[in-house]
PDB file of all heavy atoms in Angstrom:
ATOM      1  N   HIS A 568      -5.436  -9.348  11.203  1.00 81.00           N
ATOM      2  CA  HIS A 568      -4.689  -8.605  10.153  1.00 81.00           C
ATOM      3  C   HIS A 568      -5.628  -7.852   9.194  1.00 81.00           C
ATOM      4  O   HIS A 568      -5.236  -6.829   8.639  1.00 81.00           O
ATOM      5  CB  HIS A 568      -3.941  -9.672   9.386  1.00 81.00           C
ATOM      6  CG  HIS A 568      -2.946 -10.331  10.220  1.00 81.00           C
ATOM      7  ND1 HIS A 568      -2.912 -11.652  10.399  1.00 81.00           N
ATOM      8  CD2 HIS A 568      -1.889  -9.802  10.996  1.00 81.00           C
ATOM      9  CE1 HIS A 568      -1.931 -12.015  11.229  1.00 81.00           C
ATOM     10  NE2 HIS A 568      -1.269 -10.919  11.596  1.00 81.00           N
ATOM     11  N   HIS A 569      -6.789  -8.433   8.837  1.00 82.00           N
ATOM     12  CA  HIS A 569      -7.541  -7.765   7.783  1.00 82.00           C
ATOM     13  C   HIS A 569      -8.439  -6.639   8.303  1.00 82.00           C
ATOM     14  O   HIS A 569      -9.045  -6.677   9.436  1.00 82.00           O
ATOM     15  CB  HIS A 569      -8.586  -8.834   7.219  1.00 82.00           C
ATOM     16  CG  HIS A 569      -9.408  -8.197   6.179  1.00 82.00           C
ATOM     17  ND1 HIS A 569      -8.928  -7.794   4.980  1.00 82.00           N
ATOM     18  CD2 HIS A 569     -10.742  -8.049   6.083  1.00 82.00           C
ATOM     19  CE1 HIS A 569      -9.897  -7.279   4.189  1.00 82.00           C
ATOM     20  NE2 HIS A 569     -11.052  -7.384   4.887  1.00 82.00           N
ATOM     21  N   ASN A 570      -8.437  -5.528   7.583  1.00 77.00           N
ATOM     22  CA  ASN A 570      -9.207  -4.269   7.830  1.00 77.00           C
ATOM     23  C   ASN A 570      -8.755  -3.659   9.143  1.00 77.00           C
ATOM     24  O   ASN A 570      -9.660  -3.030   9.857  1.00 77.00           O
ATOM     25  CB  ASN A 570     -10.695  -4.694   7.965  1.00 77.00           C
ATOM     26  CG  ASN A 570     -11.375  -4.374   6.625  1.00 77.00           C
ATOM     27  OD1 ASN A 570     -10.934  -3.623   5.871  1.00 77.00           O
ATOM     28  ND2 ASN A 570     -12.515  -5.058   6.437  1.00 77.00           N
ATOM     29  N   VAL A 571      -7.575  -3.707   9.504  1.00 81.00           N
ATOM     30  CA  VAL A 571      -7.112  -3.113  10.725  1.00 81.00           C
ATOM     31  C   VAL A 571      -7.049  -1.529  10.557  1.00 81.00           C
ATOM     32  O   VAL A 571      -7.373  -0.758  11.374  1.00 81.00           O
ATOM     33  CB  VAL A 571      -5.718  -3.628  11.206  1.00 81.00           C
ATOM     34  CG1 VAL A 571      -5.224  -2.880  12.375  1.00 81.00           C
ATOM     35  CG2 VAL A 571      -5.822  -5.099  11.486  1.00 81.00           C
ATOM     36  N   LEU A 572      -6.472  -1.098   9.416  1.00 85.00           N
ATOM     37  CA  LEU A 572      -6.351   0.341   9.094  1.00 85.00           C
ATOM     38  C   LEU A 572      -7.346   0.688   8.007  1.00 85.00           C
ATOM     39  O   LEU A 572      -7.189   0.322   6.896  1.00 85.00           O
ATOM     40  CB  LEU A 572      -4.976   0.670   8.617  1.00 85.00           C
ATOM     41  CG  LEU A 572      -3.852   0.465   9.569  1.00 85.00           C
ATOM     42  CD1 LEU A 572      -2.496   0.717   9.014  1.00 85.00           C
ATOM     43  CD2 LEU A 572      -4.027   1.365  10.816  1.00 85.00           C
ATOM     44  N   ARG A 573      -8.463   1.271   8.325  1.00 86.00           N
ATOM     45  CA  ARG A 573      -9.590   1.508   7.367  1.00 86.00           C
ATOM     46  C   ARG A 573      -9.551   2.824   6.576  1.00 86.00           C
ATOM     47  O   ARG A 573     -10.133   2.963   5.600  1.00 86.00           O
ATOM     48  CB  ARG A 573     -10.863   1.329   8.061  1.00 86.00           C
ATOM     49  CG  ARG A 573     -11.116   0.021   8.543  1.00 86.00           C
ATOM     50  CD  ARG A 573     -12.531  -0.238   9.036  1.00 86.00           C
ATOM     51  NE  ARG A 573     -12.644  -1.654   9.417  1.00 86.00           N
ATOM     52  CZ  ARG A 573     -13.516  -2.062  10.289  1.00 86.00           C
ATOM     53  NH1 ARG A 573     -14.338  -1.186  10.876  1.00 86.00           N
ATOM     54  NH2 ARG A 573     -13.673  -3.328  10.577  1.00 86.00           N
ATOM     55  N   LEU A 574      -8.825   3.834   7.154  1.00 89.00           N
ATOM     56  CA  LEU A 574      -8.885   5.165   6.586  1.00 89.00           C
ATOM     57  C   LEU A 574      -8.333   5.161   5.122  1.00 89.00           C
ATOM     58  O   LEU A 574      -9.055   5.715   4.194  1.00 89.00           O
ATOM     59  CB  LEU A 574      -8.044   6.158   7.381  1.00 89.00           C
ATOM     60  CG  LEU A 574      -7.989   7.554   6.837  1.00 89.00           C
ATOM     61  CD1 LEU A 574      -9.453   8.139   6.791  1.00 89.00           C
ATOM     62  CD2 LEU A 574      -7.110   8.481   7.640  1.00 89.00           C
ATOM     63  N   PRO A 575      -7.201   4.501   4.768  1.00 87.00           N
ATOM     64  CA  PRO A 575      -6.803   4.515   3.344  1.00 87.00           C
ATOM     65  C   PRO A 575      -7.834   3.942   2.394  1.00 87.00           C
ATOM     66  O   PRO A 575      -8.058   4.468   1.328  1.00 87.00           O
ATOM     67  CB  PRO A 575      -5.493   3.662   3.358  1.00 87.00           C
ATOM     68  CG  PRO A 575      -5.024   3.772   4.775  1.00 87.00           C
ATOM     69  CD  PRO A 575      -6.248   3.849   5.627  1.00 87.00           C
ATOM     70  N   GLN A 576      -8.452   2.831   2.743  1.00 88.00           N
ATOM     71  CA  GLN A 576      -9.404   2.255   1.937  1.00 88.00           C
ATOM     72  C   GLN A 576     -10.744   3.072   1.773  1.00 88.00           C
ATOM     73  O   GLN A 576     -11.324   3.178   0.794  1.00 88.00           O
ATOM     74  CB  GLN A 576      -9.754   0.817   2.186  1.00 88.00           C
ATOM     75  CG  GLN A 576     -10.465   0.551   3.528  1.00 88.00           C
ATOM     76  CD  GLN A 576     -10.842  -0.839   3.772  1.00 88.00           C
ATOM     77  OE1 GLN A 576     -11.957  -1.283   3.252  1.00 88.00           O
ATOM     78  NE2 GLN A 576      -9.989  -1.551   4.488  1.00 88.00           N
ATOM     79  N   GLU A 577     -11.065   3.769   2.891  1.00 91.00           N
ATOM     80  CA  GLU A 577     -12.241   4.634   2.844  1.00 91.00           C
ATOM     81  C   GLU A 577     -11.987   5.860   1.988  1.00 91.00           C
ATOM     82  O   GLU A 577     -12.863   6.289   1.247  1.00 91.00           O
ATOM     83  CB  GLU A 577     -12.571   5.136   4.334  1.00 91.00           C
ATOM     84  CG  GLU A 577     -13.164   3.959   5.155  1.00 91.00           C
ATOM     85  CD  GLU A 577     -13.234   4.416   6.676  1.00 91.00           C
ATOM     86  OE1 GLU A 577     -12.920   5.570   7.040  1.00 91.00           O
ATOM     87  OE2 GLU A 577     -13.675   3.532   7.458  1.00 91.00           O
ATOM     88  N   LEU A 578     -10.817   6.411   2.036  1.00 90.00           N
ATOM     89  CA  LEU A 578     -10.383   7.514   1.195  1.00 90.00           C
ATOM     90  C   LEU A 578     -10.384   7.098  -0.325  1.00 90.00           C
ATOM     91  O   LEU A 578     -10.908   7.798  -1.185  1.00 90.00           O
ATOM     92  CB  LEU A 578      -9.078   8.074   1.496  1.00 90.00           C
ATOM     93  CG  LEU A 578      -8.972   8.810   2.890  1.00 90.00           C
ATOM     94  CD1 LEU A 578      -7.514   9.153   3.196  1.00 90.00           C
ATOM     95  CD2 LEU A 578      -9.833  10.041   2.863  1.00 90.00           C
ATOM     96  N   THR A 579      -9.920   5.925  -0.577  1.00 89.00           N
ATOM     97  CA  THR A 579      -9.903   5.422  -1.959  1.00 89.00           C
ATOM     98  C   THR A 579     -11.301   5.136  -2.413  1.00 89.00           C
ATOM     99  O   THR A 579     -11.634   5.463  -3.627  1.00 89.00           O
ATOM    100  CB  THR A 579      -9.048   4.119  -2.042  1.00 89.00           C
ATOM    101  OG1 THR A 579      -7.718   4.460  -1.636  1.00 89.00           O
ATOM    102  CG2 THR A 579      -8.976   3.533  -3.438  1.00 89.00           C
ATOM    103  N   ALA A 580     -12.172   4.558  -1.582  1.00 91.00           N
ATOM    104  CA  ALA A 580     -13.555   4.306  -2.001  1.00 91.00           C
ATOM    105  C   ALA A 580     -14.328   5.670  -2.219  1.00 91.00           C
ATOM    106  O   ALA A 580     -15.142   5.651  -3.130  1.00 91.00           O
ATOM    107  CB  ALA A 580     -14.245   3.397  -0.951  1.00 91.00           C
ATOM    108  N   ALA A 581     -14.092   6.620  -1.416  1.00 95.00           N
ATOM    109  CA  ALA A 581     -14.780   7.850  -1.568  1.00 95.00           C
ATOM    110  C   ALA A 581     -14.317   8.693  -2.676  1.00 95.00           C
ATOM    111  O   ALA A 581     -15.040   9.505  -3.278  1.00 95.00           O
ATOM    112  CB  ALA A 581     -14.611   8.738  -0.226  1.00 95.00           C
ATOM    113  N   ASN A 582     -12.954   8.492  -3.130  1.00 91.00           N
ATOM    114  CA  ASN A 582     -12.370   9.287  -4.184  1.00 91.00           C
ATOM    115  C   ASN A 582     -11.626   8.318  -5.175  1.00 91.00           C
ATOM    116  O   ASN A 582     -10.429   8.413  -5.288  1.00 91.00           O
ATOM    117  CB  ASN A 582     -11.453  10.352  -3.713  1.00 91.00           C
ATOM    118  CG  ASN A 582     -12.146  11.334  -2.740  1.00 91.00           C
ATOM    119  OD1 ASN A 582     -12.946  12.071  -3.176  1.00 91.00           O
ATOM    120  ND2 ASN A 582     -11.835  11.157  -1.427  1.00 91.00           N
ATOM    121  N   PRO A 583     -12.368   7.494  -5.916  1.00 91.00           N
ATOM    122  CA  PRO A 583     -11.565   6.510  -6.694  1.00 91.00           C
ATOM    123  C   PRO A 583     -10.851   7.075  -7.835  1.00 91.00           C
ATOM    124  O   PRO A 583      -9.807   6.453  -8.318  1.00 91.00           O
ATOM    125  CB  PRO A 583     -12.665   5.558  -7.336  1.00 91.00           C
ATOM    126  CG  PRO A 583     -13.926   6.397  -7.168  1.00 91.00           C
ATOM    127  CD  PRO A 583     -13.676   7.314  -6.022  1.00 91.00           C
ATOM    128  N   THR A 584     -11.086   8.265  -8.266  1.00 88.00           N
ATOM    129  CA  THR A 584     -10.290   8.934  -9.369  1.00 88.00           C
ATOM    130  C   THR A 584      -9.135   9.633  -8.822  1.00 88.00           C
ATOM    131  O   THR A 584      -8.275  10.198  -9.537  1.00 88.00           O
ATOM    132  CB  THR A 584     -11.191   9.929 -10.178  1.00 88.00           C
ATOM    133  OG1 THR A 584     -11.670  10.939  -9.375  1.00 88.00           O
ATOM    134  CG2 THR A 584     -12.308   9.167 -10.873  1.00 88.00           C
ATOM    135  N   HIS A 585      -8.970   9.775  -7.441  1.00 87.00           N
ATOM    136  CA  HIS A 585      -7.922  10.519  -6.894  1.00 87.00           C
ATOM    137  C   HIS A 585      -7.048   9.660  -5.952  1.00 87.00           C
ATOM    138  O   HIS A 585      -6.098  10.202  -5.321  1.00 87.00           O
ATOM    139  CB  HIS A 585      -8.500  11.692  -6.085  1.00 87.00           C
ATOM    140  CG  HIS A 585      -9.111  12.726  -6.915  1.00 87.00           C
ATOM    141  ND1 HIS A 585     -10.384  12.670  -7.295  1.00 87.00           N
ATOM    142  CD2 HIS A 585      -8.526  13.846  -7.479  1.00 87.00           C
ATOM    143  CE1 HIS A 585     -10.632  13.804  -8.085  1.00 87.00           C
ATOM    144  NE2 HIS A 585      -9.566  14.437  -8.177  1.00 87.00           N
ATOM    145  N   SER A 586      -7.343   8.405  -5.791  1.00 86.00           N
ATOM    146  CA  SER A 586      -6.674   7.609  -4.799  1.00 86.00           C
ATOM    147  C   SER A 586      -6.650   6.141  -5.214  1.00 86.00           C
ATOM    148  O   SER A 586      -7.610   5.701  -5.843  1.00 86.00           O
ATOM    149  CB  SER A 586      -7.252   7.757  -3.470  1.00 86.00           C
ATOM    150  OG  SER A 586      -6.717   6.853  -2.525  1.00 86.00           O
ATOM    151  N   PHE A 587      -5.556   5.454  -4.981  1.00 85.00           N
ATOM    152  CA  PHE A 587      -5.567   4.015  -5.187  1.00 85.00           C
ATOM    153  C   PHE A 587      -4.616   3.317  -4.191  1.00 85.00           C
ATOM    154  O   PHE A 587      -3.683   3.950  -3.763  1.00 85.00           O
ATOM    155  CB  PHE A 587      -5.321   3.596  -6.575  1.00 85.00           C
ATOM    156  CG  PHE A 587      -3.921   3.948  -7.067  1.00 85.00           C
ATOM    157  CD1 PHE A 587      -2.829   3.002  -6.973  1.00 85.00           C
ATOM    158  CD2 PHE A 587      -3.653   5.212  -7.627  1.00 85.00           C
ATOM    159  CE1 PHE A 587      -1.587   3.356  -7.436  1.00 85.00           C
ATOM    160  CE2 PHE A 587      -2.380   5.536  -8.115  1.00 85.00           C
ATOM    161  CZ  PHE A 587      -1.386   4.587  -7.939  1.00 85.00           C
ATOM    162  N   LEU A 588      -4.885   2.065  -3.916  1.00 85.00           N
ATOM    163  CA  LEU A 588      -3.961   1.221  -3.068  1.00 85.00           C
ATOM    164  C   LEU A 588      -3.332   0.176  -3.956  1.00 85.00           C
ATOM    165  O   LEU A 588      -4.114  -0.384  -4.835  1.00 85.00           O
ATOM    166  CB  LEU A 588      -4.761   0.540  -1.950  1.00 85.00           C
ATOM    167  CG  LEU A 588      -5.436   1.492  -0.897  1.00 85.00           C
ATOM    168  CD1 LEU A 588      -6.219   0.547   0.080  1.00 85.00           C
ATOM    169  CD2 LEU A 588      -4.407   2.207  -0.128  1.00 85.00           C
ATOM    170  N   PHE A 589      -2.153  -0.121  -3.799  1.00 81.00           N
ATOM    171  CA  PHE A 589      -1.591  -1.268  -4.458  1.00 81.00           C
ATOM    172  C   PHE A 589      -0.568  -1.981  -3.632  1.00 81.00           C
ATOM    173  O   PHE A 589      -0.025  -1.338  -2.643  1.00 81.00           O
ATOM    174  CB  PHE A 589      -0.985  -0.913  -5.825  1.00 81.00           C
ATOM    175  CG  PHE A 589       0.375  -0.064  -5.749  1.00 81.00           C
ATOM    176  CD1 PHE A 589       1.558  -0.652  -5.755  1.00 81.00           C
ATOM    177  CD2 PHE A 589       0.207   1.280  -5.619  1.00 81.00           C
ATOM    178  CE1 PHE A 589       2.712   0.115  -5.724  1.00 81.00           C
ATOM    179  CE2 PHE A 589       1.406   2.078  -5.573  1.00 81.00           C
ATOM    180  CZ  PHE A 589       2.657   1.431  -5.576  1.00 81.00           C
ATOM    181  N   GLU A 590      -0.371  -3.255  -3.897  1.00 80.00           N
ATOM    182  CA  GLU A 590       0.501  -4.142  -3.120  1.00 80.00           C
ATOM    183  C   GLU A 590       1.746  -4.241  -3.879  1.00 80.00           C
ATOM    184  O   GLU A 590       1.773  -4.495  -5.071  1.00 80.00           O
ATOM    185  CB  GLU A 590      -0.143  -5.374  -2.838  1.00 80.00           C
ATOM    186  CG  GLU A 590       0.636  -6.358  -1.983  1.00 80.00           C
ATOM    187  CD  GLU A 590      -0.115  -7.583  -1.672  1.00 80.00           C
ATOM    188  OE1 GLU A 590      -1.187  -7.932  -2.258  1.00 80.00           O
ATOM    189  OE2 GLU A 590       0.289  -8.323  -0.795  1.00 80.00           O
ATOM    190  N   MET A 591       2.825  -4.085  -3.186  1.00 75.00           N
ATOM    191  CA  MET A 591       4.150  -4.320  -3.865  1.00 75.00           C
ATOM    192  C   MET A 591       4.865  -5.542  -3.230  1.00 75.00           C
ATOM    193  O   MET A 591       4.874  -5.669  -2.037  1.00 75.00           O
ATOM    194  CB  MET A 591       5.028  -3.065  -3.603  1.00 75.00           C
ATOM    195  CG  MET A 591       6.400  -3.186  -4.288  1.00 75.00           C
ATOM    196  SD  MET A 591       7.249  -1.615  -4.035  1.00 75.00           S
ATOM    197  CE  MET A 591       8.860  -2.208  -3.788  1.00 75.00           C
ATOM    198  N   PHE A 592       5.398  -6.455  -4.103  1.00 73.00           N
ATOM    199  CA  PHE A 592       6.015  -7.663  -3.685  1.00 73.00           C
ATOM    200  C   PHE A 592       7.470  -7.420  -3.792  1.00 73.00           C
ATOM    201  O   PHE A 592       7.948  -6.886  -4.857  1.00 73.00           O
ATOM    202  CB  PHE A 592       5.624  -8.900  -4.512  1.00 73.00           C
ATOM    203  CG  PHE A 592       4.218  -9.259  -4.277  1.00 73.00           C
ATOM    204  CD1 PHE A 592       3.239  -8.813  -5.171  1.00 73.00           C
ATOM    205  CD2 PHE A 592       3.838  -9.995  -3.210  1.00 73.00           C
ATOM    206  CE1 PHE A 592       1.875  -9.142  -4.972  1.00 73.00           C
ATOM    207  CE2 PHE A 592       2.419 -10.357  -2.998  1.00 73.00           C
ATOM    208  CZ  PHE A 592       1.514  -9.959  -3.902  1.00 73.00           C
ATOM    209  N   SER A 593       8.258  -7.822  -2.818  1.00 69.00           N
ATOM    210  CA  SER A 593       9.744  -7.584  -2.863  1.00 69.00           C
ATOM    211  C   SER A 593      10.438  -8.919  -2.811  1.00 69.00           C
ATOM    212  O   SER A 593      10.030  -9.846  -2.001  1.00 69.00           O
ATOM    213  CB  SER A 593      10.148  -6.769  -1.599  1.00 69.00           C
ATOM    214  OG  SER A 593       9.545  -5.541  -1.651  1.00 69.00           O
ATOM    215  N   ASP A 594      11.464  -9.087  -3.678  1.00 69.00           N
ATOM    216  CA  ASP A 594      12.253 -10.239  -3.505  1.00 69.00           C
ATOM    217  C   ASP A 594      13.442  -9.940  -2.522  1.00 69.00           C
ATOM    218  O   ASP A 594      13.871  -8.790  -2.510  1.00 69.00           O
ATOM    219  CB  ASP A 594      12.868 -10.606  -4.920  1.00 69.00           C
ATOM    220  CG  ASP A 594      11.796 -11.114  -5.879  1.00 69.00           C
ATOM    221  OD1 ASP A 594      10.821 -11.671  -5.356  1.00 69.00           O
ATOM    222  OD2 ASP A 594      11.907 -10.819  -7.136  1.00 69.00           O
ATOM    223  N   PRO A 595      13.939 -10.952  -1.870  1.00 69.00           N
ATOM    224  CA  PRO A 595      15.043 -10.667  -1.047  1.00 69.00           C
ATOM    225  C   PRO A 595      16.291 -10.350  -1.786  1.00 69.00           C
ATOM    226  O   PRO A 595      16.431 -10.801  -2.910  1.00 69.00           O
ATOM    227  CB  PRO A 595      15.238 -12.046  -0.226  1.00 69.00           C
ATOM    228  CG  PRO A 595      14.190 -12.949  -0.753  1.00 69.00           C
ATOM    229  CD  PRO A 595      13.455 -12.292  -1.812  1.00 69.00           C
ATOM    230  N   PRO A 596      17.167  -9.649  -1.248  1.00 66.00           N
ATOM    231  CA  PRO A 596      17.210  -9.084   0.065  1.00 66.00           C
ATOM    232  C   PRO A 596      16.361  -7.842   0.083  1.00 66.00           C
ATOM    233  O   PRO A 596      16.270  -7.087  -0.900  1.00 66.00           O
ATOM    234  CB  PRO A 596      18.633  -8.702   0.238  1.00 66.00           C
ATOM    235  CG  PRO A 596      19.142  -8.375  -1.090  1.00 66.00           C
ATOM    236  CD  PRO A 596      18.430  -9.288  -1.992  1.00 66.00           C
ATOM    237  N   THR A 597      15.711  -7.546   1.190  1.00 70.00           N
ATOM    238  CA  THR A 597      14.793  -6.433   1.300  1.00 70.00           C
ATOM    239  C   THR A 597      15.419  -5.460   2.449  1.00 70.00           C
ATOM    240  O   THR A 597      15.368  -5.769   3.510  1.00 70.00           O
ATOM    241  CB  THR A 597      13.431  -6.753   1.574  1.00 70.00           C
ATOM    242  OG1 THR A 597      13.420  -7.577   2.791  1.00 70.00           O
ATOM    243  CG2 THR A 597      12.807  -7.540   0.463  1.00 70.00           C
ATOM    244  N   THR A 598      15.911  -4.270   1.991  1.00 75.00           N
ATOM    245  CA  THR A 598      16.182  -3.258   2.954  1.00 75.00           C
ATOM    246  C   THR A 598      15.382  -1.955   2.477  1.00 75.00           C
ATOM    247  O   THR A 598      15.024  -1.883   1.235  1.00 75.00           O
ATOM    248  CB  THR A 598      17.726  -2.993   2.928  1.00 75.00           C
ATOM    249  OG1 THR A 598      18.116  -2.532   1.649  1.00 75.00           O
ATOM    250  CG2 THR A 598      18.452  -4.193   3.335  1.00 75.00           C
ATOM    251  N   THR A 599      15.198  -1.109   3.368  1.00 75.00           N
ATOM    252  CA  THR A 599      14.376   0.084   3.020  1.00 75.00           C
ATOM    253  C   THR A 599      14.946   0.845   1.936  1.00 75.00           C
ATOM    254  O   THR A 599      14.222   1.253   0.996  1.00 75.00           O
ATOM    255  CB  THR A 599      14.202   0.959   4.322  1.00 75.00           C
ATOM    256  OG1 THR A 599      13.610   0.193   5.336  1.00 75.00           O
ATOM    257  CG2 THR A 599      13.378   2.211   4.040  1.00 75.00           C
ATOM    258  N   LEU A 600      16.213   1.214   1.928  1.00 76.00           N
ATOM    259  CA  LEU A 600      16.811   1.968   0.821  1.00 76.00           C
ATOM    260  C   LEU A 600      16.647   1.339  -0.550  1.00 76.00           C
ATOM    261  O   LEU A 600      16.332   1.989  -1.541  1.00 76.00           O
ATOM    262  CB  LEU A 600      18.287   2.312   1.142  1.00 76.00           C
ATOM    263  CG  LEU A 600      18.928   3.269   0.112  1.00 76.00           C
ATOM    264  CD1 LEU A 600      18.380   4.668   0.221  1.00 76.00           C
ATOM    265  CD2 LEU A 600      20.470   3.347   0.318  1.00 76.00           C
ATOM    266  N   GLN A 601      16.838   0.033  -0.574  1.00 76.00           N
ATOM    267  CA  GLN A 601      16.690  -0.635  -1.899  1.00 76.00           C
ATOM    268  C   GLN A 601      15.305  -0.513  -2.334  1.00 76.00           C
ATOM    269  O   GLN A 601      15.051  -0.246  -3.571  1.00 76.00           O
ATOM    270  CB  GLN A 601      16.980  -2.171  -1.679  1.00 76.00           C
ATOM    271  CG  GLN A 601      18.388  -2.549  -1.604  1.00 76.00           C
ATOM    272  CD  GLN A 601      18.521  -4.014  -1.398  1.00 76.00           C
ATOM    273  OE1 GLN A 601      17.955  -4.637  -0.481  1.00 76.00           O
ATOM    274  NE2 GLN A 601      19.265  -4.686  -2.282  1.00 76.00           N
ATOM    275  N   ARG A 602      14.335  -0.668  -1.547  1.00 76.00           N
ATOM    276  CA  ARG A 602      12.947  -0.564  -1.998  1.00 76.00           C
ATOM    277  C   ARG A 602      12.540   0.848  -2.419  1.00 76.00           C
ATOM    278  O   ARG A 602      11.875   1.037  -3.370  1.00 76.00           O
ATOM    279  CB  ARG A 602      11.931  -1.075  -0.816  1.00 76.00           C
ATOM    280  CG  ARG A 602      12.145  -2.481  -0.504  1.00 76.00           C
ATOM    281  CD  ARG A 602      11.803  -3.445  -1.653  1.00 76.00           C
ATOM    282  NE  ARG A 602      12.833  -4.411  -1.723  1.00 76.00           N
ATOM    283  CZ  ARG A 602      13.268  -4.983  -2.804  1.00 76.00           C
ATOM    284  NH1 ARG A 602      12.850  -4.663  -4.040  1.00 76.00           N
ATOM    285  NH2 ARG A 602      14.219  -5.932  -2.796  1.00 76.00           N
ATOM    286  N   LEU A 603      12.951   1.852  -1.635  1.00 77.00           N
ATOM    287  CA  LEU A 603      12.691   3.212  -2.042  1.00 77.00           C
ATOM    288  C   LEU A 603      13.329   3.545  -3.382  1.00 77.00           C
ATOM    289  O   LEU A 603      12.830   4.262  -4.172  1.00 77.00           O
ATOM    290  CB  LEU A 603      13.080   4.178  -0.880  1.00 77.00           C
ATOM    291  CG  LEU A 603      12.362   4.123   0.378  1.00 77.00           C
ATOM    292  CD1 LEU A 603      12.870   5.041   1.430  1.00 77.00           C
ATOM    293  CD2 LEU A 603      10.910   4.464   0.101  1.00 77.00           C
ATOM    294  N   LYS A 604      14.610   3.105  -3.555  1.00 78.00           N
ATOM    295  CA  LYS A 604      15.290   3.331  -4.786  1.00 78.00           C
ATOM    296  C   LYS A 604      14.528   2.707  -5.976  1.00 78.00           C
ATOM    297  O   LYS A 604      14.354   3.218  -7.041  1.00 78.00           O
ATOM    298  CB  LYS A 604      16.637   2.787  -4.754  1.00 78.00           C
ATOM    299  CG  LYS A 604      17.483   2.972  -6.029  1.00 78.00           C
ATOM    300  CD  LYS A 604      18.867   2.497  -5.859  1.00 78.00           C
ATOM    301  CE  LYS A 604      19.652   2.686  -7.184  1.00 78.00           C
ATOM    302  NZ  LYS A 604      21.038   2.112  -7.094  1.00 78.00           N
TER     303      LYS A 604
END
């Protein structure tokens, strides 16, 4: 699971003023439209 997709973190490390990653936690119920809204 860890470090499977490296491109996003490499872009963020190379351009820290132009990119960031963040984790979003969702409470149930979780459907795509609800989260996008």
Side-chain angles (χ1 to χ4, degrees):
H568 300 122
H569 179 66
N570 265 336
V571 176
L572 298 173
R573 294 189 177 154
L574 181 62
Q576 68 176 274
E577 289 170 2
L578 291 172
T579 299
N582 302 292
T584 59
H585 292 87
S586 174
F587 65 93
L588 298 173
F589 70 93
E590 182 175 15
M591 183 175 141
F592 293 96
S593 301
D594 291 330
T597 57
T598 60
T599 301
L600 183 67
Q601 282 180 304
R602 297 298 137 213
L603 292 175
K604 182 178 177 181

